[in-house]
Amino acid sequence: MRAFEYFAPQQLADVIHTLSTAGGNARVCAGGTDILGRLKDGVDTPDKLVCLKTLPEMRYVRESNDGVRIGALTTLSTIEEDPIIRKSFPLLVEALYVTAAPQIRNQATMGGSICQRPRCWYLRGPFDCLRKGGAKCFAVDGENKYHAILGGHLCYIVHPSDSATALVALNASAKIQGSKGEKTVPLEKFFVGPEVNILKENILEDDEILTEIFIPTPSAGARGAFSKSRERQSYDFALASAAVQCTMKNGVCAEARVVLGGVAPIPWRSIEAEEELKGKKLDPKTIERAAAAAVRKAKPMTQNIYKVDLTRQLLSKSLSQIMV
Amino acid sequence: MIDDEKTQKPIPPGQDQEYEESEVNIEGRRVTVRTRKVPPLPDWTKTEIVGQPVPRVDGVDKVTGRAKYTSDVQLPHMLYAIAVRSELPHARIKNISIEKALAHPGVHAVLLPKDVERYIMGNPFAGTLPLLTLEPKYTGEEIAVVAAETELQAEDAARLIQVDYEPLPFVLDPEVSMTDKSPVKFFPEGNFTGGGFGQRKIGQPSVHTRGDLDVGFKEADHIFEETFRTEPQQHACMEVHGTTASWDGDHLTVWESTQGVFGVQEEISRVFTLPMNDVRVIGTHMGGGFGSKGGAGKQTMLAVLMARRTGRPVKMVLSRHEDFMGVYRPASIQHYKVGVKNDGRLTAIEMKSVNAVGAYMSGSMWGNSSPMTQQMYACANVRTEDRAVFTNTPPPGAMRGPSNVQNAWGLEQLMDLIAHKLNMDPIELRMRNDVKVDQVTHQPYHSKGLAECFKLGAEKFHWDEKRLRRNDPASTKKYGVGMASQIWGGGGGPPATAIVKINQDGSINLLTGAADIGTGTRTVMSQICAEELGVAVDRIHVTNADTETTPYTLPSYGSITLASSGPAVRSAANDAKRQLLDLAAGSLGVKPEELSSKDGFIFVTAQPDKRMKFEAAAGAMPERTLVGRGYRGPNPKGQSLNAFGAQFCEVEIDIHSGEVKVLKFVAAHDSGRVINPHTFASQVKGGITMGTGYALSERRLIDKNTGVPVTASLLEYRPPTSLDAPVDIEVYSVDVPYTANNIGAKGVGEPPLIATAPAIANAVYHATGVRVKSNPITPEKIIDGLKSLGGRT
């Protein structure tokens, strides 16, 4: 690990100030489950590390009449065990339950989970790849078993966050604090694909941090499910995952949000699958059509063809759970 | 360590009648050693302490962090050493600039290849390795070493050392390396040699042959041709490789995370031409070896040299990342052609294996995956060919059940496949090919409890019932069961010496050179000592694995520790007991042979109330200390000593996600007498956990285009965590009597891993009809397999 300057500010304003004066060479550390690995592996070498743990005000799950607000420093295990979340958002609870391992969920935070960097082994290894400002993506003709089948463009990382996949399905939004003030964006718009910016995965500027997630109250009849496939059952990032949130009225799917994880550089909203579901009776035929639609535009690489079937099947699994 | 030069020397005829020759089987390699004849001790008929689930004697030290490991050693003025490693899989180094590193704060010295070239590790039989090189042959090979006052300074300095590489062509795939298309020529005679322990010659495979294959295949009613593949497996020990070296004048002390302090002492002594009494190696506590720490590592020699150069103690403990660029179980490709009669009897087996063994000869010993094929099943016509193929990857080494683990993946799946084809119970097929004689040595097995393992395991698992269960076609969860069996050495043997000291207060010091690599050696040796002396375990303090204070024993490899050092410990305790009984006989007014020692008392066997306390007898010792010596005697002549076992498992498969979940394991093992049911069960559960990783998740991958490893972390390599260990594991010993040594025990270190992965693969087949012939069994392979079966999922 290379030496860096360590900050432990007491107020959010101090965090923003430090970030805005570091010229892009500062990183924030919440639970530390991602950034510490990056520092130790030498793939991130900031001059300054700003610890957020000393901030008192960002750990909460608050219910209001329009939804639930989750402070960015709330740990994943706290959210997973929260009675409000358990009651209203089983989809999120399911996703968190298969995220990492219990020890990591005790440490990792909501904000960190959403803002973690991809796990591409070229990004994380001694390879001068596009996402690090280099000349090429090593996955294209390399070892691409875990890489993207959707939304790839020059770079083929997959977004690693299970919670982000679930939250986009839940139509969540993100509150961002920066030196220019505060703003809120739909979480879906928070992430950016490589065609927009190949160097980062979200819209955060150097002086900005994510402070809060808002999840709107689901409409009556809403049902959600999350399915994920892992190579190692205790903790592993998704080979693929499928988050589904549908509003059911008399067995008919009135509204649907379908988001795929582990298969694209961002949590991948499948409008194609949603179109197949909306207004239809949720039966095996509809499920099959929606699942097929979700991967119709997939462009697998040499070693990840299996992800097409896997994604289709996981979406079927999630939809079948809603149907039951 | 045993090397050939030493072991092949015959005993001159007529010399010292106290010695004789004994065969020892280590990792499948049979060597003959000269050993002291030891007076036989009566078999333990009824035991009080041996056989009991005694808690680990060092358990509290370990869980409270008091136990000191190599990486815990902190010495005044100690420096930290870090290697600069090759960034390329094959290159010539044109220049190394060290000026900036030397100028960095806290840096004391840099060692370059020229500084260490006269020190060569290894030996002509095993192959040699340079400590540092100007022509790295794999990514991660050591080029230079830097030492500084803090770890961070050393890391920074290592980065400041600039290495100019001239890239050279490289080859990773053994099947490419074997052909004319290989861009690298490792030797003029070819890119492969024989695998295993026999004479190896470049360009020629190692061959075992018996009978006539043509005759065998003609006799067959069915012929099966199958290819199985295994990935490399990394040891991923909880404690990484490491050394702390400290010179006091000419006396060197080395703390080493090792399976055998004496092998490390011998190698240091040889490489640096030091008298052995000036080389003290301490390895009391260590966090796992699994074969990777059988001898000294490069970091051992580099730390010793750096300590000499700087005049400071030097610690060189690898990072997890570096550890993952080192030793591993080699990959294998196994081609089988097998002839079978309708009744299940095997008529011919032809097996050709290709094993990727890195860029040095030293790896080729482990490039063999046929020992089980040669031994496990009765077959008159057999030919095996093992090719150890050179590649630009790190040198592999021994890993828990070397060769047999790879071999079992293919052979035990093949047996399952044949059983399904013949519509026969896989146990029945195995029993029809049972054999009582070791077909390689032509020696009978001293004891073979495999049939008992099948019987007990099948009964506890409810095999007959579960095997016939059918899945609900509508369900997306499929269930299946599978089993596999195994053979391993584990008979142990000489040399091993132990010392038992009785102090005047009746407390006891047991001195044994044996390593406790997490297996519970200290505990079981205490039990053996306590049993023989007739005292409680807590009266004994064990000192182990310290070349200066404990006597020689072989390293903890080949599952030999218990069966090698255990008998020596019993002999030493018996020697001490006899001396104490001699003294007590005078006090009690009887002859020594009339006395027994039990429960802390020495008493007249025929009149138990005529007795004295053990410590009272000790208190009367004129020398105040009594020393008992014990030696490991020879193994019985003309017999093969092997441990057997069978494992049964049940799996659940989600056909949507392709995920495999192990629901249950039943393991039945034949390891002779169980000294401690706790440590026995721990060994078996640990083996099954490791085998579960091998079967389902572990994969070491080197990027095909750059030759750089991309799975050099616990995250990417995916070893099982405690949450992945199957929850429901039942462990049984079949308790078949074993009399080849005075404690009646065989080893169980390696056996429990051998059958695990094929048992899982067989269960996966039973559940889904998908035969996964390459490990790990990933969701990808399940999904692709189901698809090619045409099943809609």
Side-chain angles (χ1 to χ4, degrees):
Chain A
M1 198 190 297
R2 292 184 208 206
F4 51 79
E5 211 176 339
Y6 180 77
F7 293 83
Q10 302 296 316
Q11 291 177 29
L12 188 55
D14 296 336
V15 174
I16 304 298
H17 176 74
T18 307
L19 293 178
S20 61
T21 54
N25 283 320
R27 301 287 177 274
V28 294
C29 175
T33 59
D34 179 28
I35 183 71
L36 288 182
R38 273 152 48 208
L39 294 174
K40 284 183 177 178
D41 292 345
V43 291
D44 212 340
T45 53
D47 298 334
K48 294 176 181 176
L49 190 71
V50 184
C51 179
L52 303 180
K53 280 186 147 181
T54 42
L55 297 180
E57 69 268 31
M58 277 160 64
R59 287 162 212 277
Y60 54 82
V61 178
R62 281 183 204 137
E63 194 175 22
S64 55
N65 49 14
D66 56 344
V68 168
R69 287 174 168 75
I70 303 172
L73 289 178
T74 315
T75 64
L76 299 185
S77 57
T78 304
I79 301 166
E80 186 189 348
E81 286 154 20
D82 187 275
I84 304 164
I85 302 288
R86 293 187 84 86
K87 184 172 118 289
S88 307
F89 310 107
L91 164 60
L92 181 58
V93 177
E94 278 180 50
L96 290 173
Y97 183 68
V98 292
T99 296
Q103 291 95 327
I104 295 173
R105 297 202 293 273
N106 285 338
Q107 183 72 17
T109 65
M110 177 89 287
S113 174
I114 292 167
C115 299
Q116 65 182 311
R117 301 293 321 266
R119 287 281 162 185
C120 169
W121 46 34
Y122 296 109
L123 177 67
R124 300 241 172 191
F127 302 90
D128 190 18
C129 81
L130 272 174
R131 194 158 286 266
K132 286 187 284 199
K136 70 175 224 178
C137 171
F138 288 74
V140 172
D141 62 350
E143 308 292 351
N144 52 36
K145 174 180 184 180
Y146 301 120
H147 286 80
I149 56 170
L150 287 162
H153 174 79
L154 300 174
C155 162
Y156 294 84
I157 58 145
V158 296
H159 201 277
S161 175
D162 294 322
S163 23
T165 306
L167 288 167
V168 173
L170 289 168
N171 200 15
S173 53
K175 193 191 275 185
I176 295 166
Q177 185 80 42
S179 45
K180 291 189 204 97
E182 191 180 280
K183 63 182 172 188
T184 298
V185 297
L187 193 58
E188 202 185 334
K189 306 282 180 206
F190 179 76
F191 300 102
V192 293
E195 72 286 355
V196 176
N197 191 333
I198 209 152
L199 299 174
K200 57 186 198 177
E201 297 80 52
N202 57 54
I203 58 170
L204 287 181
E205 297 294 339
D206 290 341
D207 64 341
E208 290 178 333
I209 66 164
L210 177 64
T211 57
E212 185 184 89
I213 290 294
F214 170 74
I215 318 176
T217 305
S219 33
R223 303 185 65 166
F226 185 85
S227 303
K228 174 181 177 181
S229 178
R230 298 177 282 186
E231 288 193 341
R232 175 167 60 184
Q233 297 307 303
S234 59
Y235 80 98
D236 209 343
F237 291 91
L239 292 174
S241 68
V244 182
Q245 178 84 354
C246 295
T247 304
M248 302 298 292
K249 279 177 188 157
N250 306 320
V252 171
C253 187
E255 286 170 52
R257 282 176 77 91
V258 173
V259 183
L260 307 174
V263 291
I266 56 171
W268 188 259
R269 190 164 167 207
S270 178
I271 305 293
E272 297 87 346
E274 291 173 8
E275 291 302 326
E276 291 289 346
L277 293 167
K278 275 182 204 163
K280 308 268 172 57
K281 187 174 182 313
L282 198 56
D283 58 18
K285 274 211 161 137
T286 308
I287 290 175
E288 196 175 312
R289 271 199 296 270
V295 293
R296 196 161 289 136
K297 288 183 183 159
K299 284 189 189 141
M301 307 169 86
T302 49
Q303 299 173 352
N304 65 7
I305 298 164
Y306 74 99
K307 278 196 178 189
V308 178
D309 284 326
L310 179 59
T311 307
R312 186 174 54 71
Q313 290 172 193
L314 289 171
L315 181 52
S316 295
K317 184 178 175 181
S318 291
L319 288 168
S320 302
Q321 281 169 18
I322 287 176
M323 183 179 75
V324 172
Chain B
M1 302 275 266
I2 288 187
D3 64 46
D4 271 19
E5 219 179 312
K6 266 188 205 165
T7 60
Q8 302 296 320
K9 268 185 206 153
I11 301 174
Q15 209 190 40
D16 203 341
Q17 293 301 307
E18 284 180 30
Y19 292 86
E20 67 177 58
E21 285 182 348
S22 174
E23 190 181 88
V24 189
N25 176 349
I26 301 165
E27 314 278 30
R29 175 179 173 208
R30 291 178 187 83
V31 292
T32 300
V33 298
R34 192 180 165 204
T35 185
R36 189 185 289 262
K37 289 180 188 168
V38 172
L41 295 174
D43 287 342
W44 279 322
T45 44
K46 192 168 167 291
T47 58
E48 305 275 330
I49 297 162
V50 159
Q52 295 303 310
V54 171
R56 289 196 185 228
V57 296
D58 46 13
V60 172
D61 283 349
K62 287 194 170 178
V63 298
T64 55
R66 274 207 304 266
K68 202 175 224 185
Y69 293 79
T70 294
S71 49
D72 295 324
V73 174
Q74 291 290 341
L75 300 171
H77 311 297
M78 188 173 79
L79 303 179
Y80 294 83
I82 288 181
V84 175
R85 292 170 183 275
S86 178
E87 294 167 16
L88 299 175
H90 192 195
R92 199 169 289 124
I93 290 169
K94 294 185 290 187
N95 186 44
I96 308 176
S97 307
I98 60 170
E99 293 73 21
K100 278 186 195 160
L102 284 173
H104 194 67
V107 172
H108 281 242
V110 174
L111 292 176
L112 294 172
K114 65 180 167 54
D115 302 318
V116 303
E117 64 191 357
R118 63 199 175 100
Y119 305 112
I120 305 289
M121 287 200 57
N123 59 55
F125 175 76
T128 57
L129 288 175
L131 291 178
L132 300 171
T133 183
L134 287 173
E135 193 188 320
K137 294 179 174 64
Y138 61 91
T139 304
E141 191 165 7
E142 295 86 344
I143 292 168
V145 184
V146 56
E149 286 167 18
T150 69
E151 271 179 286
L152 279 182
Q153 287 170 339
E155 267 184 47
D156 287 341
R159 270 192 298 270
L160 291 170
I161 292 176
Q162 168 125 26
V163 180
D164 296 337
Y165 299 92
E166 177 193 336
L168 296 174
F170 65 93
V171 61
L172 302 175
D173 183 341
E175 289 179 300
V176 173
S177 180
M178 279 168 66
T179 67
D180 297 341
K181 289 190 191 107
S182 175
V184 187
K185 296 271 179 271
F186 289 89
F187 294 96
E189 303 92 329
N191 277 0
F192 74 91
T193 182
F197 303 111
Q199 284 299 320
R200 280 159 286 147
K201 214 169 162 190
I202 305 287
Q204 289 179 18
S206 51
V207 175
H208 166 85
T209 181
R210 61 176 186 255
D212 187 327
L213 281 182
D214 291 342
V215 171
F217 285 122
K218 257 181 217 144
E219 276 177 35
D221 296 316
H222 309 269
I223 290 178
F224 294 84
E225 288 189 69
E226 296 289 345
T227 297
F228 295 90
R229 289 165 183 265
T230 62
E231 294 286 336
Q233 185 179 25
Q234 307 236 212
H235 303 74
C237 307
M238 196 70 85
E239 183 188 22
V240 291
H241 290 74
T243 306
T244 303
S246 178
W247 290 89
D248 180 5
D250 286 334
H251 189 79
L252 172 68
T253 303
V254 169
W255 286 263
E256 176 86 12
S257 179
T258 181
Q259 295 168 229
V261 287
F262 296 96
V264 177
Q265 180 197 33
E266 280 175 31
E267 181 115 23
I268 292 173
S269 166
R270 187 186 63 72
V271 169
F272 300 119
T273 330
L274 294 168
M276 288 175 80
N277 65 350
D278 269 338
V279 181
R280 179 180 189 180
V281 180
I282 302 171
T284 304
H285 287 288
M286 65 93 78
F290 310 109
S292 67
K293 298 171 183 170
K298 284 191 208 174
Q299 90 283 343
T300 316
M301 304 302 165
L302 293 169
V304 168
L305 277 169
M306 192 56 102
R308 193 64 166 168
R309 164 75 71 96
T310 58
R312 301 264 204 131
V314 169
K315 180 188 279 190
M316 187 160 182
V317 174
L318 306 195
S319 68
R320 181 61 69 184
H321 182 75
E322 288 176 298
D323 212 57
F324 269 117
M325 294 199 291
V327 62
Y328 57 94
R329 178 196 307 285
S332 74
I333 303 157
Q334 307 164 30
H335 305 287
Y336 293 87
K337 184 178 174 190
V338 179
V340 191
K341 300 285 276 182
N342 282 326
D343 65 6
R345 279 178 302 137
L346 301 172
T347 60
I349 310 175
E350 185 182 23
M351 179 187 177
K352 292 178 181 171
S353 83
V354 170
N355 307 272
V357 298
Y360 291 95
M361 272 301 281
S362 75
S364 62
M365 248 196 315
W366 310 106
N368 146 10
S369 38
S370 67
M372 264 182 86
T373 302
Q374 297 167 19
Q375 279 182 302
M376 192 70 197
Y377 301 110
C379 186
N381 308 300
V382 175
R383 182 183 168 85
T384 62
E385 284 182 13
D386 291 292
R387 284 173 172 77
V389 184
F390 299 109
T391 46
N392 290 105
T393 56
M399 181 168 179
R400 200 173 187 179
S403 304
N404 283 35
V405 167
Q406 298 94 297
N407 199 171
W409 172 260
L411 183 69
E412 290 299 285
Q413 283 206 65
L414 192 58
M415 291 301 278
D416 196 66
L417 198 144
I418 294 169
H420 279 280
K421 174 85 179 179
L422 299 181
N423 203 15
M424 194 181 278
D425 183 339
I427 295 177
E428 177 62 24
L429 176 68
R430 285 172 171 84
M431 283 310 296
R432 286 194 189 177
N433 292 287
D434 192 29
V435 60
K436 298 289 178 208
V437 172
D438 181 334
Q439 298 170 94
V440 176
T441 63
H442 310 295
Q443 300 177 142
Y445 292 116
H446 175 87
S447 70
K448 182 175 181 183
L450 184 60
E452 288 82 352
C453 291
F454 287 146
K455 189 165 177 290
L456 182 66
E459 180 196 316
K460 298 291 184 186
F461 187 78
H462 303 293
W463 171 252
D464 292 338
E465 179 198 325
K466 286 185 176 170
R467 195 170 71 85
L468 300 174
R469 274 191 208 155
R470 291 290 169 262
N471 280 302
D472 172 3
S475 173
T476 59
K477 294 271 170 72
K478 303 293 177 198
Y479 299 85
V481 295
M483 58 82 58
S485 55
Q486 69 86 23
I487 181 173
W488 188 247
T497 303
I499 293 171
V500 169
K501 281 201 304 181
I502 302 179
N503 302 301
Q504 52 184 321
D505 62 352
S507 69
I508 292 138
N509 289 98
L510 167 60
L511 311 180
T512 167
D516 190 332
I517 61 176
T519 52
T521 303
R522 264 190 296 274
T523 306
V524 295
M525 296 302 166
S526 300
Q527 286 177 265
I528 291 165
C529 184
E531 182 73 41
E532 188 61 26
L533 287 172
V535 299
V537 167
D538 60 12
R539 209 188 272 249
I540 293 162
H541 183 268
V542 193
T543 299
N544 75 305
D546 178 341
T547 59
E548 202 151 291
T549 59
T550 67
Y552 187 91
T553 186
L554 292 172
S556 278
Y557 53 16
S559 304
I560 66 170
T561 308
L562 177 58
S564 292
S565 290
V569 168
R570 186 181 173 203
S571 291
N574 183 268
D575 185 34
K577 182 171 76 175
R578 277 192 299 103
Q579 296 177 53
L580 192 64
L581 294 188
D582 281 348
L583 290 169
S587 312
L588 290 167
V590 294
K591 290 183 185 149
E593 53 270 30
E594 291 175 61
L595 292 176
S596 300
S597 178
K598 209 169 132 181
D599 298 334
F601 286 96
I602 292 169
F603 58 97
V604 179
T605 314
Q607 199 185 332
D609 57 342
K610 196 171 174 186
R611 64 181 195 178
M612 65 193 298
K613 282 190 169 171
F614 187 90
E615 55 268 36
M621 297 184 304
E623 295 85 0
R624 310 284 165 90
T625 299
L626 186 158
V627 178
R629 292 179 303 172
Y631 303 96
R632 173 57 154 88
N635 285 323
K637 283 202 189 319
Q639 297 180 346
S640 281
L641 309 179
N642 293 83
F644 297 88
Q647 296 185 350
F648 299 77
C649 95
E650 185 171 5
V651 298
E652 174 194 281
I653 292 155
D654 180 325
I655 60 167
H656 276 133
S657 69
E659 292 169 321
V660 178
K661 192 171 164 188
V662 175
L663 300 177
K664 185 180 186 67
F665 250 96
V666 168
H669 283 268
D670 163 32
S671 294
R673 185 198 298 277
V674 171
I675 305 296
N676 184 329
H678 274 338
T679 55
F680 178 80
S682 293
Q683 287 274 38
V684 176
K685 290 178 180 177
I688 288 173
T689 303
M690 203 170 212
T692 303
Y694 194 54
L696 298 178
S697 59
E698 292 174 37
R699 184 179 180 221
R700 188 208 71 184
L701 183 65
I702 295 179
D703 179 46
K704 60 183 176 182
N705 294 324
T706 60
V708 174
V710 290
T711 53
S713 71
L714 289 167
L715 180 76
E716 292 292 357
Y717 176 66
R718 296 176 170 80
T721 71
S722 54
L723 287 175
D724 296 284
V727 174
D728 185 359
I729 303 177
E730 290 176 27
V731 180
Y732 299 98
S733 160
V734 293
D735 291 330
V736 171
Y738 179 75
T739 55
N741 61 51
N742 67 23
I743 60 167
K746 322 185 218 187
V748 74
E750 288 153 297
L753 164 64
I754 296 170
T756 305
I760 293 173
N762 292 341
V764 166
Y765 175 79
H766 185 246
T768 59
V770 176
R771 177 64 69 186
V772 183
K773 294 177 190 170
S774 62
N775 71 339
I777 306 170
T778 53
E780 172 183 11
K781 290 175 192 171
I782 296 290
I783 283 161
D784 287 352
L786 286 169
K787 194 175 187 183
S788 66
L789 287 177
R792 288 308 311 259
T793 53

